[in-house]
């Protein structure tokens, strides 16, 4: 038996901390701050909260103790990227099954102050003896293949970080706000060629909180609910020791098709895109998989500011992982909510009614949000 | 400065486990081999505890021809291990073996200086700092 979840669940509250380097704070303190902001954002009585999902925080029990809640549904996801999309879909399923009425999703990252490097002995793998390591190395390998197969250039790739930096320059909370040009990108130092420094996400501290409930319960809360119209999911795990040389095309295509189908929308209805951007090439892969451009043509598609505010498809309007904050997808979902509510300030997308989130990753998810 | 894999290769030492030991022992005999399922005949890589196709534990090791095609490559400038510093920058490649198995490896000789997408490669072996032979690839 299947039944539709479309439009029946909503994000009602969002909260974020400052982003940066906070060596004197801990995970729970950051999470508590984001939680307090989210509670204030929707005006919920905290005693009503009966669901808790955490990611990257060390322990669910200490999290609940810290913020003083007693849930009847709890789920702890690992601290990997891309758990945000998974977490939101799981929370919807829990609400749908009646396992909780109000789900709090909490994420905190203190990787900057802990000096996390994302490669080498921190993350041992079978290919270390040949010197192959890091998520950046994997994305570099994929992007070289994209260049060879389709003629994509690093100047085209530069459009992604340049657009996101422009958005960050309009976002007072973003970590990296100094404007960047395509030439700046081309002159930045190579990390793992063909990728350069500005193709890599930031590593910074911060926390994010989302509160989800049913659309019906959402009516009693402070702000207009941001409804989840559709979701889609497809993993690509079977050969996970290798870079995914098909650019997550098929999983992204399937997730996008599912999300659009449930939502009853077409590409033209999407006012803004939030695309998981741990590395710049993923954004190109996302555009192709979702079908915003034909396969292999994302390089040409993004030329001339397509992804910038005022362009054809404003993308990562907060600055994304590349320039706003490395909150592993969580902050991009908050940005979707803020754009739909019209809280985008200088970076507001005009007449923003429908926003799509996508993470083209080994765990691909897409979510389509709307406001009435 | 050369991107070619030349001895002694400054790379992290393999962490040899019961599952991977045959790979490294055979490499020292200048043989490139992968696990092969005796039940269904499928190869898989990296070595796992069961055949991922049929779940049989009846696995053996079988040499491959060493012929491969170049799929993609990157050049590391970032130093992720102190031991590797003197070899930076270095090239890492993805290659597809004739037998349908994909490997991450290094390139030697002209292939490293001028890699071409799809070029024909053949396996060769280069010593790392401890004398372990590593399978790498050169132009066929």
């Amino acid at each position: 038996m299947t039944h539709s979840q479309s439009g029946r669940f909503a994000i009602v509250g969002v909260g974020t901390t400052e982003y940066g380097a906070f060596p004197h704070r801990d995970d729970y303190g950051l999470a508590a701050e984001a939680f307090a902001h989210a509670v204030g954002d929707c005006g919920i009585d905290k005693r009503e909260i009966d669901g808790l999902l955490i990611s990257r925080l060390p322990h669910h029990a200490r999290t609940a103790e810290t913020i003083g809640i007693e849930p009847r549904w709890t789920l702890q996801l690992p601290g990997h990227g891309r758990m945000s999309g998974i977490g939101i879909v799981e929370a919807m399923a829990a609400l749908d099954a009646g396992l909780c009425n109000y789900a709090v999703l909490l994420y905190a990252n203190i990787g900057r102050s802990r000096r996390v490097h994302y490669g080498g002995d921190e993350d041992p793998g079978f290919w270390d003896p040949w010197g192959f390591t890091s998520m950046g190395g994997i994305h570099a390998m994929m992007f070289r293949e994209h260049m060879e197969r389709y003629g994509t250039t690093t100047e085209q790739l530069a459009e992604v970080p340049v657009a996101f930096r422009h958005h960050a320059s309009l976002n007072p909370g973003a970590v990296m706000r100094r404007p960047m040009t395509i030439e700046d990108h081309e002159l930045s130092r190579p990390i793992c060629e063909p990728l350069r420094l500005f193709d890599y996400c930031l590593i910074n501290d911060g926390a994010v909180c989302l509160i989800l409930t049913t659309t019906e319960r959402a009516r009693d809360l402070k702000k207009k609910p941001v409804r989840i119209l559709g979701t889609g999911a497809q993993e690509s795990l079977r050969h996970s020791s290798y870079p995914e040389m098909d650019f997550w095309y098929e999983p992204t295509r399937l997730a996008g098709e599912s999300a659009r189908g449930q939502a009853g929308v077409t590409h033209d209805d999407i006012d803004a895109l939030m695309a998981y951007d741990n590395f710049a090439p993923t954004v190109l892969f996302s555009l192709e998989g979702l079908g915003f451009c034909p396969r292999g043509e994302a390089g040409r598609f993004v030329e001339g500011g397509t992804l910038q505010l005022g362009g054809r498809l404003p993308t990562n309007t907060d600055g994304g992982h590349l320039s706003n904050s490395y909150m592993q997808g969580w902050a991009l979902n908050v940005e979707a909510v803020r754009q739909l509510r019209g809280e985008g300030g200088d970076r507001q997308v005009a007449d923003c009614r429908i926003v799509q989130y996508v993470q083209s990753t080994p765990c691909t998810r897409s979510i389509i949000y709307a406001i009435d | 400065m050369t991107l070619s894999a030349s001895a002694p290769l400054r790379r992290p030492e393999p962490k040899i486990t019961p599952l991977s030991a045959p790979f490294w022992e055979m490499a020292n005999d200048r043989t490139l081999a992968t696990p092969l399922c005796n039940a269904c005949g499928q190869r898989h890589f990296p070595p796992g505890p069961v055949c991922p196709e049929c779940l049989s534990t009846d696995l053996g090791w079988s040499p491959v021809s060493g012929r491969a095609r170049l799929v993609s490559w990157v050049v590391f400038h970032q130093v992720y291990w102190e031991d590797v510093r003197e070899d930076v920058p270095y090239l890492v490649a993805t290659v597809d073996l004739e037998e349908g198995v994909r490997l991450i490896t290094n390139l030697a000789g002209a292939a490293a200086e001028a890699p071409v997408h799809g070029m024909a490669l053949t396996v060769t072996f280069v010593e790392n700092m401890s004398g372990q032979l590593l399978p790498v690839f050169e132009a066929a």
Side-chain angles (χ1 to χ4, degrees), chain A residues 58-239:
Chain A
H59 204 277
H60 59 276
R62 180 61 189 146
T63 304
E65 186 174 40
T66 301
I67 62 174
I69 64 166
E70 199 66 275
R72 61 191 174 102
W73 175 75
T74 305
L75 188 60
Q76 175 160 7
L77 296 173
H80 309 156
R82 60 193 115 106
M83 289 297 149
S84 50
I86 293 179
I88 292 165
V89 171
E90 292 308 310
M92 287 170 65
L95 290 165
D96 198 11
L99 303 180
C100 61
N101 294 333
Y102 297 93
V104 166
L105 283 58
L106 258 180
Y107 167 90
N109 185 343
I110 200 151
R112 166 99 189 182
S113 294
R114 301 243 164 91
R115 305 226 153 262
V116 178
H117 291 102
Y118 298 93
D121 287 334
E122 259 175 33
D123 187 19
F126 191 84
W127 313 115
D128 292 355
W130 293 270
F132 189 63
T133 187
S134 80
M135 284 308 294
I138 286 170
H139 285 251
M141 196 70 90
M142 292 169 72
F143 187 62
R144 165 64 67 189
E145 173 68 8
H146 202 276
M147 292 169 77
E148 295 294 323
R149 209 188 287 180
Y150 302 119
T152 316
T153 65
T154 58
E155 288 86 351
Q156 290 171 331
L157 181 65
E159 295 274 357
V160 173
V162 167
F164 297 177
R165 181 61 65 86
H166 172 64
H167 298 155
S169 76
L170 304 170
N171 175 5
V175 173
M176 299 292 280
R177 302 191 61 203
R178 210 184 66 183
M180 183 206 298
T181 64
I182 289 176
E183 195 185 9
D184 293 335
H185 172 272
E186 292 299 292
L187 293 174
S188 70
R189 93 186 139 85
I191 306 293
C192 183
E193 282 182 274
L195 300 190
R196 299 178 169 277
L197 181 65
F198 293 155
D199 296 315
Y200 278 62
C201 61
L202 309 171
I203 299 176
N204 62 268
D205 306 335
V208 180
C209 180
L210 303 174
I211 301 177
L212 270 72
T213 188
T214 60
T215 304
E216 209 173 287
R217 287 194 178 89
R219 293 200 196 102
D220 304 329
L221 294 165
K222 208 154 89 185
K223 290 186 179 169
K224 248 189 180 179
V226 167
R227 293 195 300 147
I228 299 170
L229 293 190
T231 65
Q234 179 59 52
E235 321 297 32
S236 178
L237 302 174
R238 181 124 195 223
H239 299 286

Side-chain angles (χ1 to χ4, degrees), chain A residues 39 57 81 90 128 246 253 272 298 313-314 336:
Chain A
V39 167
L57 279 153
E90 292 308 310
D128 292 355
D246 226 23
R253 190 185 68 74
L313 184 65

